[in-house]
Amino acid sequence: MMATTTTFSRDKRSQNPRKVFSPSTASVSLPTHYLIYMEDTVSFLIVARTSIKYIQGQMASLIINKKKLVGEIVVSGTFVRCQTELNKIQKTSQSMDEDSNESESENCQLDEDARSVEKDQENNKIQDFGEESEAEKSPDENFNNRSSNKKRKSQSSYLSQSKKRLKRRILDENIDNGSDNEEEIALCLAPKKCKNLSNKDDRLKSIENKMDDFNQCMKKMSHSMRQMASYSNKITSHNLDIYRDPNSQENFTDKVDHNGTNLVIIVGRDFGDFARKVMRVLYSEEERKTHILPPGRPHLSRKPLDSNRFALLNDAVRVKYRLSKHLYDDFFKYHLRPKLSDFLVEERRRESNTIVRNQAKSVVSQIATQSQPGEE
DNA sequence: TCCATCTTAGCAAACGTCCA
DNA sequence: TGGACGTTTGCTAAGATGGA
């Protein structure tokens, strides 16, 4: 059954022992975040551990916005711990400023306003990322919290290959982009530096830039979280909400017709089961055994299934489970397609297994009849 | 009701091809 | 050339089925 092309043949697959992950260092809790003082910019940063390239003593080397920076570790631990310490530093710095700058207070009223806006912005940033950080603490917990009515509950702790791929991709993206999502929490909270800004325009520009950065971060976070959720194999028909748009005004039809059969009324215990049953309605047994999922590829020996009927299948799934059009691609790619692909494989395999079983049975019965000639 | 066997689905890993 | 992606293969778990 080596059927990807007609020109190559696979070697016998080597069998390796299954590797079961067992955390040997679970009791060791490494710091998740660091508060770092950047001498170059006279500012403090809270960064996630993954943003730090290496640590030597109290000095940490990190990369932000594609720039390599070196700073002194002030505090390490959880995000909350770093935030608390940062607030203390901030208050101390403010009180010092108030003592030394009383004479400038009248002239700097506008600057203060701008600074408070900036601080509010930064504090919002902290708050939002703090929440993200909580979610980030144990992604597996989030995955596992999703209801799983399937088998293999005992194995729910390991990530699927897809999830591992995504994690690696996100990590790579963070590194490429100077880790500018939840792990990039660059906080310019040094009033002395702000004083050096020459005029109000600079301050306003600074605020605008930070707001832009913040919006970018939020967009990326949203995208990453959706993808992470998409990769969960524990998703069932009961928690497809991430692929539903509550703001959508779409009116879902109750009928997807194929030769007089309403595909939507087919009953399945979940979306995978439903899709398999629809496949059995839409395509003949021969088609299921000899074709692959659309759109197919030139280098693959099997032809893709009829795309029009496949569109009906997708419509039926989308309508039955009320999935948004603009989110359906992700759902299909990460959840439905793997199931259907497996299903087609099994359709081929079932036949060959049955043939092999029947052959074995017939051989056994033949041997049995040959070994009993004297009884006749 | 119990037990053996079959069926079905899920997953990991190997492998081939494409593409940036 | 390595990563992404799809396919194949081997294996496991759990439900379904049928006979004792």
Side-chain angles (χ1 to χ4, degrees):
Chain A
M1 289 289 286
M2 321 290 180
T4 52
T5 71
T6 53
T7 54
F8 70 86
S9 62
R10 291 170 185 268
D11 294 335
K12 174 71 178 170
R13 179 189 166 111
S14 62
Q15 296 180 28
N16 296 321
R18 184 175 289 251
K19 292 173 187 171
V20 180
F21 173 70
S22 176
S24 56
T25 57
S27 58
V28 180
S29 58
L30 294 169
T32 60
H33 289 80
Y34 294 86
L35 175 61
I36 294 178
Y37 174 66
M38 309 300 295
E39 195 171 323
D40 291 348
T41 57
V42 199
S43 61
F44 291 89
L45 305 175
I46 297 177
V47 296
R49 187 179 67 237
T50 49
S51 294
I52 294 181
K53 300 309 156 196
Y54 74 87
I55 297 172
Q56 189 170 24
Q58 282 299 104
M59 302 307 289
S61 170
L62 58 153
I63 294 176
I64 289 175
N65 289 333
K66 296 181 181 177
K67 290 179 184 173
K68 189 179 180 183
L69 303 170
V70 177
E72 184 183 349
I73 298 173
V74 180
V75 165
S76 61
T78 63
F79 181 87
V80 176
R81 167 100 171 84
C82 295
Q83 189 182 352
T84 307
E85 190 64 27
L86 184 62
N87 288 341
K88 282 183 192 172
I89 293 169
Q90 189 182 344
K91 282 179 184 173
T92 307
S93 176
Q94 279 178 341
S95 60
M96 286 173 67
D97 281 352
E98 283 168 9
D99 291 344
S100 61
N101 295 326
E102 280 177 359
S103 60
E104 297 174 13
S105 60
E106 288 179 3
N107 298 334
C108 294
Q109 185 57 48
L110 216 148
D111 290 355
E112 284 288 315
D113 291 342
R115 194 182 304 159
S116 89
V117 169
E118 187 172 339
K119 278 174 189 167
D120 287 345
Q121 184 67 38
E122 301 290 7
N123 287 336
N124 286 339
K125 205 177 197 177
I126 291 169
Q127 187 63 39
D128 288 337
F129 282 121
E131 287 167 10
E132 168 60 17
S133 143
E134 287 298 314
E136 177 197 20
K137 276 180 185 171
S138 54
D140 282 352
E141 282 176 18
N142 291 338
F143 286 126
N144 293 337
N145 285 341
R146 291 212 176 85
S147 64
S148 172
N149 60 354
K150 294 285 188 235
K151 318 157 197 175
R152 298 176 183 240
K153 287 177 185 172
S154 61
Q155 296 183 21
S156 62
S157 59
Y158 60 74
L159 293 167
S160 70
Q161 189 178 3
S162 300
K163 280 189 280 186
K164 282 186 269 186
R165 279 180 182 164
L166 172 76
K167 280 186 130 182
R168 193 169 62 232
R169 198 185 308 161
I170 290 173
L171 190 61
D172 291 345
E173 195 178 318
N174 290 342
I175 292 167
D176 290 342
N177 296 336
S179 65
D180 55 358
N181 57 13
E182 78 274 13
E183 290 167 357
E184 178 209 333
I185 308 168
L187 301 170
C188 170
L189 287 168
K192 285 177 185 175
K193 188 196 172 194
C194 292
K195 275 187 210 166
N196 293 334
L197 292 173
S198 58
N199 54 45
K200 287 175 278 182
D201 286 345
D202 286 346
R203 292 179 191 279
L204 290 171
K205 274 183 186 172
S206 169
I207 293 166
E208 281 176 9
N209 288 339
K210 287 184 189 303
M211 287 182 75
D212 286 345
D213 288 347
F214 178 68
N215 287 334
Q216 291 281 333
C217 287
M218 291 303 291
K219 275 183 188 173
K220 286 196 174 185
M221 274 174 56
S222 171
H223 180 70
S224 296
M225 287 176 74
R226 184 177 292 159
Q227 275 202 309
M228 283 291 284
S230 300
Y231 273 95
S232 168
N233 286 324
K234 305 293 177 289
I235 199 159
T236 71
S237 299
H238 305 293
N239 53 12
L240 289 169
D241 285 349
I242 57 169
Y243 297 106
R244 297 180 180 125
D245 187 355
N247 301 319
S248 172
Q249 303 295 319
E250 181 176 358
N251 288 322
F252 289 97
T253 175
D254 287 331
K255 191 171 185 183
V256 176
D257 184 77
H258 171 68
N259 292 343
T261 305
N262 183 6
L263 301 175
V264 178
I265 63 170
I266 291 173
V267 177
R269 65 176 179 275
D270 55 36
F271 69 85
D273 192 44
F274 172 74
R276 281 188 290 273
K277 287 178 176 175
V278 173
M279 288 277 278
R280 288 188 168 110
V281 172
L282 290 174
Y283 300 103
S284 68
E285 187 180 352
E286 189 62 26
E287 283 177 305
R288 297 197 303 269
K289 285 176 183 168
T290 56
H291 291 66
I292 59 173
L293 296 180
R297 285 197 173 187
H299 66 275
L300 300 176
S301 63
R302 297 179 204 278
K303 296 282 175 279
L305 290 164
D306 178 64
S307 57
N308 292 330
R309 278 178 280 167
F310 200 69
L312 284 179
L313 180 144
N314 283 310
D315 278 348
V317 173
R318 200 177 69 77
V319 164
K320 188 173 182 78
Y321 294 96
R322 300 289 193 260
L323 307 177
S324 298
K325 275 182 183 173
H326 64 285
L327 298 174
Y328 187 78
D329 282 351
D330 276 353
F331 166 78
F332 177 77
K333 185 177 178 182
Y334 301 125
H335 299 294
L336 189 55
R337 188 180 179 94
K339 282 180 185 289
L340 293 180
S341 180
D342 267 354
F343 171 66
L344 293 182
V345 171
E346 291 300 329
E347 289 286 272
R348 293 169 216 143
R349 187 154 61 170
R350 268 191 284 277
E351 184 189 40
S352 59
N353 286 347
T354 307
I355 291 170
V356 168
R357 265 200 304 273
N358 290 340
Q359 284 177 343
K361 278 182 185 175
S362 65
V363 168
V364 169
S365 63
Q366 276 181 3
I367 292 170
T369 51
Q370 285 172 3
S371 65
Q372 300 171 340
E375 293 180 5
E376 293 178 359

